[in-house]
C-alpha cells in the first residue's frame, strides 16, 4: 500500500541522494568525505545567532544563518590546509569543534531559556517532510520537495559546467592548476556547494541521512566503476535504490525511515565491498590465492 | 664551471632571477638565479632537500614564489600555460582515482580546450599518436590503478606529448620505473629536444644525468653549478653540493 506521502518521501530522498552523490563522489575522491559531517556541527552558531537576532526559528533565516557558518567552516578549513602547516584532516578537525563550541556557548549565555531544540531548529526528519507544504502555481506541494528539487537541478548544472576542471583537479591538482583550468578555485566552489547543499538538506531530511547520502553511495560506486562518469551514475543509482528499498523496509517494520535508508545504503556498500567485480574483497582474495 | 650555459646560442627554456620560495613554511630556495637553455635535455640535480622540486614548482606557480622573476620560454607563466607540460611526482596524483589510461592522456588537450569545448578529432589523433609513441596504445582502456609503475609513467609522458608543449618539465619521472622504461622514456625525451623542444627533469640518479642529459643544474639551497652535464657533475662540485662525494663521483 503506497500513499502520496510515501511517494513524496521516496522522491525527496531520491532527489537529495542524487545531488549528494554527485558532489559526494568528488569529496570521496579528494579525501574530504568528513566535510558534510563537520558542516553539520559548524552551522550551530548560525542557528543560534539567527534566533538571537529574530527571536524565531523560522526556516528561511535559519537556513541562511546556518549556511553562512557552513561556508565559514569550509573557508577556515581551506585556509588552514593551504598553510601546509597542519594536515588536511587536522585542519577540518580544528575548525568545526571551534564553531560548534561557539554555538554551545551562545545557547548557554543567551538562549538557555529558549529551548533551541536542534532537531526542530534545523535538523529535520524526512518522516515529516511531506507535512510542511507550500503552494506552487496553485498546487500544494511539500516544501522539501521544492527545495531539494531546486538544489538537485543546481547541483547537476554545477557539476556539468565544472566537469572538466573538477575531473582534472581531483585527479592531478598540479596539472590542473598549471594547465589554466583553475583547479584551486573550482575546489573551493565545490566546498561551498557542499556546505550549501548540506544545510538545505539538513532542514529537509536530517543530518545523518545527509552525511550518509554524501559518502556511502559514492564509496559504493567507487568499487564498481573504472571512470568518474560511471562512478557518478552508479552513485546516483545506489542513492535511489537505498531510498526506495529503505523506505519500503521502514514501512514494513514500522520504524525510522532515515535509519532504514542509512542501513540499506550501508548494506549495499558492504555487498559491493565483498563482491565488486574488479575491486571487491572476494576477487582480490581469489587473485592473491592464484598468484 | 658555473655559468657556461650563458655562452650557448639558445634562448632560455627557463630562467629564474633572484627567486626566493618556501614550502611548508620553510624557505627552500633563497635568492636563486639560474638560466636553463632551450632545446636541451636538462636535469635539476642535488641532494634531498636541496630544493629541486621547489625550483620547478616555483617556476610553474605551484608554490608561491615569494620574490623574484620567472620566465618560461622567455615569457611570464600566464602567457605560456598551454605551451608548458608538467609530469608531476607520482605521489601528488590521486592513486585510486577511477580513470582509464586514454582519459589521462586526453587531459593533455584540456589546456588547449578549456572548461567546455569538446575535444576535436584532431585532439583524438594527437592522443593516439602520443600513446603510440610511448608504447601504451594497447592499454588505452585499462584503469590506471591496474597499470605498473612503468606503464603509468609512460601514460603520463604521453599526456605531456599530447599537449604538444614546447617545454616539458618532469619531477622525478623515473622513481618506481623499471630500467627498460627509463631508457625508453629518455629516448622519447631526447627526440623532443631534437625536435627543438625543451625538457627539464628533476632527477637524483647522477649516473643517468651524466650519460643521457645535455645540461645540468646542481642545487643545494642555491645553485652550486650549471652548464653542460659532464662539466657540472665533477667530483669537486658534487662534494660542495652533497657534503661528501657520492660513490658515482669517484668514477668521474
Amino acid at each position: 500500500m503506497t500513499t502520496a506521502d510515501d511517494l513524496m518521501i521516496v522522491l525527496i530522498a531520491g532527489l537529495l541522494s542524487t545531488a549528494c552523490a554527485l558532489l559526494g563522489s568528488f569529496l570521496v575522491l579528494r579525501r574530504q568525505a568528513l566535510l558534510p559531517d563537520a558542516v553539520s556541527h559548524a552551522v550551530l552558531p548560525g542557528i543560534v545567532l539567527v534566533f538571537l537576532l529574530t527571536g524565531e526559528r523560522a526556516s528561511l533565516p535559519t537556513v541562511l544563518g546556518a549556511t553562512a557558518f557552513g561556508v565559514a567552516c569550509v573557508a577556515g578549513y581551506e585556509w588552514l590546509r593551504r598553510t601546509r602547516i597542519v594536515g588536511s584532516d587536522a585542519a577540518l578537525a580544528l575548525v568545526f569543534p571551534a564553531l560548534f563550541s561557539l554555538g554551545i556557548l551562545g545557547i548557554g549565555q543567551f538562549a538557555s531559556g529558549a529551548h533551541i531544540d536542534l532537531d526542530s531548529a534545523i535538523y529535520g526528519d524526512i518522516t515529516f517532510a511531506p507535512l510542511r507544504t507550500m503552494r506552487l502555481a496553485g498546487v500544494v506541494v511539500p516544501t522539501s520537495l521544492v527545495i531539494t528539487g531546486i538544489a538537485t537541478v543546481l547541483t547537476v548544472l554545477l557539476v556539468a559546467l565544472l566537469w572538466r576542471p573538477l575531473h582534472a583537479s581531483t585527479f592531478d591538482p598540479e596539472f590542473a592548476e598549471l594547465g589554466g583550468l583553475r583547479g584551486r578555485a573550482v575546489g573551493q566552489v565545490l566546498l561551498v556547494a557542499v556546505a550549501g547543499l548540506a544545510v538545505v538538506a539538513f532542514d529537509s531530511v536530517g543530518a545523518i541521512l545527509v552525511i550518509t547520502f554524501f559518502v556511502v553511495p559514492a564509496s559504493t560506486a567507487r568499487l564498481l566503476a573504472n571512470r568518474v562518469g560511471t562512478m557518478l551514475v552508479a552513485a546516483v543509482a545506489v542513492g535511489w535504490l537505498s531510498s526506495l528499498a529503505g523506505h519500503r523496509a521502514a514501512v514494513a517494520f514500522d520504524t525510522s525511515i532515515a535509519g532504514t535508508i542509512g542501513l540499506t545504503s550501508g548494506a549495499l556498500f558492504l555487498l559491493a565491498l565483498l563482491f565488486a567485480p574488479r575491486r571487491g574483497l572476494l576477487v582480490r582474495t581469489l587473485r592473491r590465492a592464484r598468484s | 664551471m658555473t655559468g657556461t650555459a650563458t655562452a650557448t646560442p639558445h634562448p632560455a627554456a627557463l630562467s629564474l632571477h633572484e627567486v626566493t620560495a618556501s614550502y611548508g613554511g620553510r624557505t627552500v630556495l633563497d635568492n636563486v638565479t639560474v638560466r636553463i637553455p632551450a632545446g636541451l635535455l636538462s636535469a635539476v640535480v642535488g641532494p634531498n632537500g636541496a630544493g629541486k622540486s621547489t625550483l620547478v614548482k616555483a617556476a610553474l606557480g605551484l608554490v608561491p614564489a615569494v620574490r623574484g622573476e620567472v620566465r618560461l620560454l622567455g615569457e611570464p607563466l600566464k602567457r605560456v600555460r598551454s605551451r608548458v607540460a608538467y609530469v608531476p611526482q607520482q605521489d601528488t596524483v590521486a592513486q585510486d582515482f577511477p580513470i582509464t589510461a586514454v582519459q589521462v592522456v586526453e587531459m593533455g588537450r584540456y589546456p588547449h580546450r578549456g572548461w567546455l569545448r569538446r575535444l576535436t578529432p584532431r585532439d583524438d589523433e594527437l592522443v593516439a599518436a602520443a600513446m603510440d609513441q610511448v608504447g601504451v596504445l594497447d592499454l588505452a582502456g585499462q584503469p590506471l590503478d591496474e597499470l605498473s609503475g612503468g606503464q603509468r609513467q609512460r601514460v603520463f609522458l604521453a599526456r605531456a606529448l599530447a599537449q604538444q608543449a614546447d617545454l616539458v618539465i618532469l619531477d622525478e619521472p623515473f622513481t618506481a620505473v623499471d630500467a627498460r622504461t627509463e631508457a625508453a622514456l629518455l629516448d622519447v625525451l631526447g627526440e623532443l629536444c631534437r625536435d627543438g623542444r625543451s625538457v627539464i627533469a628533476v632527477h637524483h640518479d647522477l649516473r643517468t644525468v651524466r650519460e643521457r642529459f645535455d645540461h645540468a643544474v646542481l642545487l643545494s639551497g642555491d645553485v652550486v653549478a650549471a652548464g653542460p652535464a659532464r662539466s657540472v657533475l665533477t667530483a669537486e662540485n658534487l662534494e660542495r653540493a652533497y657534503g661528501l662525494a657520492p660513490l658515482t663521483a669517484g668514477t668521474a
Side-chain angles (χ1 to χ4, degrees), chain B residues 48-122:
Chain B
N48 288 335
K52 304 185 293 283
S53 291
T54 307
L55 183 126
V56 296
K57 285 186 186 187
L60 296 171
L62 297 173
V63 299
V66 185
R67 269 200 317 277
E69 194 184 69
V70 174
R71 289 282 181 275
L72 298 127
L73 304 165
E75 306 266 8
L77 173 65
K78 61 173 187 252
R79 292 176 57 181
V80 288
R81 282 190 184 280
S82 62
R83 293 172 59 203
V84 179
Y86 178 53
V87 178
Q89 263 183 64
Q90 279 300 314
D91 61 4
T92 67
V93 176
Q95 296 300 322
D96 57 352
F97 193 87
I99 191 167
T100 58
V102 69
Q103 285 186 300
V104 176
V105 182
E106 281 171 355
M107 280 185 188
R109 302 308 298 161
Y110 287 5
H112 300 278
R113 297 286 166 262
W115 280 15
L116 294 173
R117 267 175 298 156
R118 285 178 168 279
L119 298 189
T120 63
R122 169 77 183 138

Side-chain angles (χ1 to χ4, degrees), chain B residues 31 33 49-50 58 77 81 90 107 119 130 136 141 161 163 201 210 229 241:
Chain B
N31 215 27
T33 297
L77 173 65
R81 282 190 184 280
Q90 279 300 314
M107 280 185 188
L119 298 189
V136 291
L161 297 176
Q163 195 181 329
R210 202 193 315 264

Side-chain angles (χ1 to χ4, degrees), chain B residues 99-160:
Chain B
I99 191 167
T100 58
V102 69
Q103 285 186 300
V104 176
V105 182
E106 281 171 355
M107 280 185 188
R109 302 308 298 161
Y110 287 5
H112 300 278
R113 297 286 166 262
W115 280 15
L116 294 173
R117 267 175 298 156
R118 285 178 168 279
L119 298 189
T120 63
R122 169 77 183 138
D123 290 324
D124 295 336
E125 282 170 30
L126 290 170
V127 166
M131 297 188 83
D132 194 28
Q133 198 180 345
V134 297
V136 291
L137 195 51
D138 55 330
L139 300 176
Q142 291 285 315
L144 189 70
D145 61 2
E146 292 180 10
L147 301 185
S148 72
Q151 289 169 328
R152 284 173 67 101
Q153 203 57 6
R154 285 170 190 255
V155 168
F156 278 87
L157 182 58
R159 180 177 71 178

Side-chain angles (χ1 to χ4, degrees), chain A residues 29-290:
Chain A
L29 292 172
R30 288 168 172 251
R31 307 193 179 286
Q32 294 174 329
L34 280 174
L35 202 83
D37 195 6
V39 168
S40 76
H41 289 87
V43 295
L44 185 60
I47 299 165
V48 176
L49 196 65
V50 168
F51 177 77
L52 290 177
L53 290 176
T54 66
E56 48 179 336
R57 300 188 301 247
S59 197
L60 186 64
T62 306
V63 165
L64 290 178
T67 307
F69 277 85
V71 171
C73 174
V74 297
Y77 159 69
E78 262 300 275
W79 177 76
L80 263 180
R81 204 167 65 93
R82 291 249 171 268
T83 64
R84 293 177 195 263
I85 293 167
V86 295
S88 186
D89 51 347
L92 195 59
L94 284 164
V95 171
F96 84 83
L99 288 171
F100 189 67
S101 307
L102 193 65
I104 299 279
L105 283 181
I107 294 177
Q109 286 297 113
F110 306 111
S112 53
H115 295 293
I116 289 199
D117 175 4
L118 290 179
D119 293 332
S120 66
I122 184 161
Y123 304 120
D125 186 325
I126 193 164
T127 313
F128 307 117
L131 304 179
R132 279 192 298 169
T133 56
M134 62 186 283
R135 272 186 176 281
L136 195 72
V139 186
V140 177
V141 286
T143 313
S144 291
L145 182 68
V146 177
I147 292 173
T148 50
I150 293 170
T152 306
V153 170
L154 289 178
T155 304
V156 170
L157 287 177
L158 185 80
V159 170
L161 182 69
L162 300 184
W163 173 258
R164 198 173 278 174
L166 267 178
H167 188 238
S169 69
T170 303
F171 173 60
D172 186 346
E174 295 187 330
F175 171 84
E177 197 56 34
L178 178 65
L181 293 166
R182 311 195 57 87
R184 225 174 275 173
V186 167
Q188 282 157 6
V189 171
L190 174 70
L191 295 186
V192 171
V194 167
L197 175 62
V199 171
V200 167
F202 294 152
D203 189 42
S204 290
V205 305
I208 194 68
L209 197 50
V210 176
I211 296 162
T212 302
F213 278 158
F214 266 112
V215 178
V216 184
S219 304
T220 311
R222 172 63 193 100
L223 292 165
L224 303 171
N226 290 328
R227 297 155 177 263
V228 181
T230 1
M231 177 176 164
L232 294 196
V233 172
V236 170
V238 170
W240 278 91
L241 193 59
S242 308
S243 303
L244 194 63
H247 176 262
R248 299 310 314 168
V251 172
F253 299 108
D254 192 20
T255 182
S256 151
I257 297 172
T260 48
I261 293 179
L263 270 182
T264 309
S265 65
L268 289 174
F269 172 77
L270 199 61
L271 277 178
L273 183 70
L274 293 173
F275 303 115
R278 291 177 97 127
R279 299 189 169 74
L281 282 175
L282 186 66
V283 171
R284 279 175 205 236
T285 313
L286 286 178
R287 211 182 290 150
R288 213 173 304 142
R290 212 174 298 152

